[in-house]
């Protein structure tokens, strides 16, 4: 839609989503001196290095100690700071979930959990580092906001937005470069989903790196006589139920696409909402109860059934179920 | 959190704060009262931990009635010291000490662990003004204290201290040692750890479950100043904390040797009373369950009669 100032697919650029976070945190830090950054020995790859270089007195290196990472941050938040904690998603929230629950979420402290290198785009590092369960485990935690940006520019805006929001937040980032679909003018608000492609026959809801594949799938589906509406939902929690409801009321069939386990993530959130309010077929595209492996992101996206082709098959399946 | 916290500002004393100290005799009587109220609240709750809170009563009396700079009428006072209970299961002693200090009515202690009570089974920061953290899952308090101490330094608040009470069994947790390394790196002299060295945990003695000794050497090798102290001697605890505040180049930990179940004859040194209140089960060496509370209070009242001003 034109008011979102999106790029045509032919004009898409490429950049890792985490780069937008790095720039966003440095800019947020310049605006608010209460922002502090903590890292567990992954300063450069999480891109928190940009903040650390500009504000060394507000940067805390905790070493390879993810439990300490978030609990020190909880203490700093209790004293009025706004701590951003960065590690790989496999370790934070992968290793320190209980500390996040007890000392951040239940304690309701304004700590930001930045999970970098999440999902299949972590590539050659293999299964141990490809965090696929993070969206599910963070979404079920009361008080926690969960955001999965679709490109680096959105990650930049999301970082500025969460810096100004008092709630504990999980922000999921990807390692390898992925398409830039948006522009500086494209809006971002916590809790808002955006209609990237309008349509009438089917609603495709996506976030993260694979929103780009959903948009491409919708273009090809049009040739198959399926007029699909693509909703980009960077905020998994709180879910933009209004936008989703309006779309699904019209289309009566849904495909959810995410670069994570099918169980419990965005697909879980959408299914839970619709089953209680507007029961329609929901087909979830994601990793099917499996661990990842080494490979390029492209190889892994294909292997685990998340490619444009797989999204199109899921779309046909969902539309067929309407009949 | 208050809006002014996080900014450097002049030390301001709220009107209700007083640093008038109690005599040692009065502190010992206070600790005895706190022990009796712990027994009563645990009996009313019908569940909860007995041994740790009784063993910690002298330390919490020393903290709330001498060591801490705090104001029960202004729990969010910007210049207060901070006390974190890392081993949240011992919270009955904190609730009781807080009630005696004026944070809550003493009769509310009988709501411990009950539905809609502010006195949750494990402490929740939002439930009760004056609680500084939410704890229960073990091992996180020292890190939170380190984050607070580091922030005080960033904010140039050199007149504030953070005290973190930990259990000894809790030191099995790796998170504690992550915090110990961190506090050494940042030389957090304004962080004072107090380990309740009562030698018991749920499954038995600490040295049986997972040996902690040489505990002093462990902390020293992590770069901490270590003070061994009799944790059931109020005067010794106060002195040790004064010394800890005078150590400016590194964090200090008190290894506070306490007697679990202190003051109740049949509970002392017996790990079976770690996670159990009076009145729910017959235990070898203890009175029948319906007489446990009465006998515990009888023991404590007898001890109370022996507290005199002689040693002042």
């Amino acid at each position: 839609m034109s008011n979102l100032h999106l790029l045509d697919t032919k004009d898409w650029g490429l950049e890792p989503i985490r780069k937008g976070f790095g720039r966003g945190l440095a800019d947020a830090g310049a605006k608010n001196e209460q922002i502090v950054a903590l890292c567990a020995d992954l300063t450069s790859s999480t891109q928190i290095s940009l903040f650390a270089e500009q504000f060394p007195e507000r940067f805390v290196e905790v070493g390879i100690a993810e439990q300490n990472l978030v609990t020190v941050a909880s203490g700093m938040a209790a004293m009025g700071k706004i701590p951003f904690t960065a590690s790989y998603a496999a370790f934070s929230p992968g290793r320190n979930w209980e500390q996040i629950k007890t000392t951040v979420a239940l304690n309701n402290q304004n700590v930001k959990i930045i999970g970098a290198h999440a999902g299949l785009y972590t590539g050659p590092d293999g299964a141990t580092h490809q965090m696929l369960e993070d969206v599910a485990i963070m979404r079920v935690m009361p008080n926690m906001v969960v955001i999965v940006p679709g490109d680096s520019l959105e990650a930049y805006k999301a970082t500025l937005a969460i810096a100004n929001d008092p709630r504990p937040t999980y922000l999921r980032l990807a390692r390898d470069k992925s398409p830039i679909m948006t522009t500086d003018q494209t809006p971002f608000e916590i809790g808002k989903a955006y209609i990237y492609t309008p349509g009438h026959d089917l609603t495709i809801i996506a976030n993260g790196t694979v929103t780009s594949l959903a948009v491409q799938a919708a273009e090809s589906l049009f040739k198959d006589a399926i007029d699909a509406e693509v909703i980009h939902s960077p905020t998994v929690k709180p879910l933009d139920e209004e936008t989703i409801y309006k779309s699904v009321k019209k289309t009566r069939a849904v495909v959810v696409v995410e670069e994570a386990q099918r169980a419990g993530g965005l697909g879980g959130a959408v299914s839970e909402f619709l089953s209680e309010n507007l029961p329609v077929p929901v087909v979830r595209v994601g990793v099917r109860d499996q661990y990842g492996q080494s490979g390029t992101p492209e190889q892994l996206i294909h292997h685990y059934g998340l490619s444009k082709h797989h999204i199109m098959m899921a779309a046909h399946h969902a539309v067929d179920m309407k009949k | 959190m208050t809006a002014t916290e996080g900014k450097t500002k002049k030390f301001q004393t709220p009107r209700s704060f007083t640093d008038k100290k109690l005599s040692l005799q009065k502190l010992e009587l206070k600790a005895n009262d706190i022990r009796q109220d712990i027994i009563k609240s645990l009996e009313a709750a019908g569940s909860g931990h007995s041994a740790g809170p009784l063993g910690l009563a002298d330390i919490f009396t020393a903290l709330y009635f001498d060591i801490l700079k705090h104001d029960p009428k202004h729990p969010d006072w910007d210049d207060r010291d901070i006390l974190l209970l890392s081993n949240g299961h011992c919270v009955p002693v904190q609730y009781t000490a807080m009630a005696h200090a004026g944070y809550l009515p003493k009769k509310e202690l009988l709501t411990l662990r009950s539905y809609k009570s502010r006195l949750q089974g494990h402490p929740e920061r939002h439930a009760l003004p004056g609680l500084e953290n939410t704890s229960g899952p073990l091992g996180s308090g020292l890190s939170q204290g380190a984050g607070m101490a580091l922030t005080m330094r960033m904010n140039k608040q050199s007149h504030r201290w953070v005290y973190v009470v930990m259990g000894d069994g809790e030191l099995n947790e790796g998170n504690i040692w992550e915090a110990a390394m961190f506090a050494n790196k940042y030389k957090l002299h304004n962080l004072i750890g107090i380990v309740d060295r009562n030698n018991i945990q749920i499954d038995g003695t600490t040295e049986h479950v997972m040996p902690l000794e040489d505990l002093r050497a462990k902390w020293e090798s992590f770069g901490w100043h270590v003070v061994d102290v009799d944790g059931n001697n109020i005067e010794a605890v106060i002195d040790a904390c004064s010394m800890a505040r005078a150590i400016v180049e590194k964090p200090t930990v008190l290894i506070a040797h306490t007697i679990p179940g202190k003051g109740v004859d049949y509970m002392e040194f017996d790990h079976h009373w770690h996670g159990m209140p009076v009145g729910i089960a017959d235990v070898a060496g203890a009175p029948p369950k319906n007489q446990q509370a009465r006998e515990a209070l009888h023991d404590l009242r007898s001890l109370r009669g022996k507290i005199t001003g002689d040693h002042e």
Side-chain angles (χ1 to χ4, degrees), chain A residues 260-263 283-291 304-306 314:
Chain A
Q261 296 289 353
R262 285 183 354 132
V283 180
R284 291 162 297 137
V285 175
V287 178
R288 293 169 176 257
D289 200 26
Q290 288 173 292
Y291 291 111
Y304 290 100
L306 280 77

Side-chain angles (χ1 to χ4, degrees), chain A residues 34 36 57 60-62 65 67-68 71-72 74-76 78-81 98-99 102-103 106-109, chain B residues 1 5-6 82 124-126 134 137 140 143-144 147-148 150-152 154-155 160 175 178-179 182 185-186:
Chain A
Q34 294 303 333
V36 294
E57 73 289 353
V60 181
E61 172 63 82
V62 305
Q67 300 173 80
N68 201 43
T71 43
V72 166
S74 164
M76 298 186 82
M79 302 293 287
K81 298 294 180 194
E98 183 281 315
Q99 280 89 348
T102 306
T103 75
L106 174 58
N107 205 9
N108 207 9
Q109 296 289 12
Chain B
M1 251 320 294
E5 202 151 22
I82 286 185
E124 283 184 37
R125 183 172 72 97
H126 288 287
T134 297
S140 305
S143 295
Q144 290 170 270
M148 291 171 168
L150 182 64
T151 305
M152 287 175 184
M154 283 180 173
N155 293 347
R160 300 179 71 185
N175 198 164
E178 294 181 359
F182 178 88
K185 175 189 174 185
Y186 286 98

Side-chain angles (χ1 to χ4, degrees), chain B residues 95-108:
Chain B
Y95 291 150
T96 309
M98 286 172 74
H100 280 261
Y103 284 93
L104 63 148
K106 283 182 202 159
K107 64 177 188 314
E108 195 174 341

Side-chain angles (χ1 to χ4, degrees), chain A residues 9-71:
Chain A
T9 49
K10 64 177 167 39
D11 298 325
W12 284 356
L14 277 175
E15 188 181 43
I17 287 176
R18 61 196 164 112
K19 296 265 184 190
F21 160 71
R23 290 193 296 268
L25 185 60
D27 285 359
K31 287 180 186 152
N32 186 345
E33 63 178 26
Q34 294 303 333
I35 290 175
V36 294
L38 298 87
C39 195
D41 200 31
L42 291 167
T43 307
S44 174
S45 55
T46 61
Q47 293 290 301
I48 213 164
S49 49
L50 273 69
F51 180 98
E53 285 156 16
Q54 287 188 44
F55 310 105
E57 73 289 353
R58 285 194 265 147
F59 174 68
V60 181
E61 172 63 82
V62 305
I64 310 165
E66 295 80 17
Q67 300 173 80
N68 201 43
L69 174 74
V70 295
T71 43

Side-chain angles (χ1 to χ4, degrees), chain B residues 46-67:
Chain B
S47 71
H49 298 72
S50 298
L54 289 172
L56 278 166
D58 301 301
I59 288 169
F60 272 77
T61 302
L63 285 164
Y64 275 102
F65 293 93
D66 193 289
I67 297 164

